[in-house]
């Protein structure tokens, strides 16, 4: 399924961005209606002003009542991303058609959260959920990475 990436952003980069309706709508808590296909959902993420080369943009979508069902995406920012002020994310995972909470994070040095945004989403899943679920979901892998980074920062303080 080829479609143009959906625009997603943190908060407006500057006061001039407040006039840009395409950025403004992603800053609200309206429910995003998304169609998930085999190739995932592609997002064009508008970078916040504090993004730097080497920072990580992560996106996760999780149902509040079913932790085994989740979708996630992650990319490390490059010079080209900063110059274009955008980064492409491909949300992949598995889950039933339902409401999800999406969290977009900008992670800096040592995995510290520099910026964050939350969105409600209704994901219509067209992918067939496998009968044998992998016990390590993409969200859990990302959480383990962030936990390890946090522990290393805490241990380095001692």
């Amino acid at each position: 399924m080829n479609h143009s990436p959906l625009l997603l952003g943190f908060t407006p980069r500057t006061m001039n961005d407040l006039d840009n309706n395409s950025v403004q709508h992603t800053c609200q808590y309206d429910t995003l209606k998304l169609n998930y296909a085999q190739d995932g959902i592609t997002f064009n993420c508008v970078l916040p002003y504090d993004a730097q080369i080497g920072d990580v943009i992560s996106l996760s979508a999780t149902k509040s009542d079913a932790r085994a069902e989740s979708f996630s995406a992650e990319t490390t920012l490059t010079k080209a991303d900063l110059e274009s002020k955008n980064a492409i994310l491909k949300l992949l995972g598995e889950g039933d058609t339902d409401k999800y909470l999406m969290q977009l994070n900008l992670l800096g040095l040592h995995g510290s959260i520099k910026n964050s945004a939350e969105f409600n989403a209704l994901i219509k899943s067209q992918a067939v959920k496998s009968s044998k679920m992998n016990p390590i979901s993409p969200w859990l892998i990302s959480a383990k990475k962030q936990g390890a980074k946090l522990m290393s920062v805490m241990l380095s303080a001692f």
Side-chain angles (χ1 to χ4, degrees):
M1 178 175 163
N2 282 337
H3 58 79
S4 42
L6 299 166
L7 189 64
L8 197 63
F10 292 91
T11 56
R13 295 171 59 89
T14 66
M15 291 304 284
N16 293 336
D17 287 342
L18 290 172
D19 297 329
N20 183 343
N21 289 331
S22 62
V23 173
Q24 202 168 23
H25 85 275
T26 63
C27 299
Q28 300 172 359
Y29 285 85
D30 294 336
T31 299
L32 302 172
K33 292 175 177 52
L34 307 170
N35 291 317
Y36 185 86
Q38 291 285 11
D39 61 344
I41 304 170
T42 304
F43 291 95
N44 183 1
C45 180
V46 178
L47 300 177
Y49 69 92
D50 53 347
Q52 296 178 9
I53 295 173
D55 286 353
V56 173
I57 297 283
S58 72
L59 177 66
S60 63
T62 308
K63 282 176 54 174
S64 60
D65 62 343
R67 299 209 183 259
E69 299 183 28
S70 66
F71 301 88
S72 66
E74 188 173 281
T75 188
T76 302
L77 298 180
T78 64
K79 182 178 179 183
D81 294 330
L82 292 180
E83 288 172 353
S84 69
K85 299 179 183 169
N86 294 293
I88 300 295
L89 291 170
K90 173 93 56 172
L91 192 68
L92 298 170
E94 58 182 24
D96 292 327
T97 297
D98 210 337
K99 292 180 182 178
Y100 289 79
L101 177 64
M102 290 180 47
Q103 187 169 22
L104 180 66
N105 290 314
L106 173 65
L107 306 171
L109 188 63
H110 305 297
S112 59
I113 296 177
K114 293 172 68 173
N115 211 324
S116 181
E118 288 185 355
F119 307 92
N120 294 314
L122 173 62
I123 298 178
K124 289 186 178 180
S125 181
Q126 299 169 359
V128 177
K129 195 170 148 184
S130 64
S131 57
K132 271 187 156 181
M133 294 232 4
N134 183 351
I136 301 178
S137 69
W139 179 87
L140 184 57
I141 292 169
S142 179
K144 283 184 176 182
K145 285 182 189 176
Q146 299 311 319
K149 289 178 183 177
L150 180 62
M151 289 303 292
S152 68
V153 168
M154 290 174 59
L155 290 174
S156 68
F158 293 105

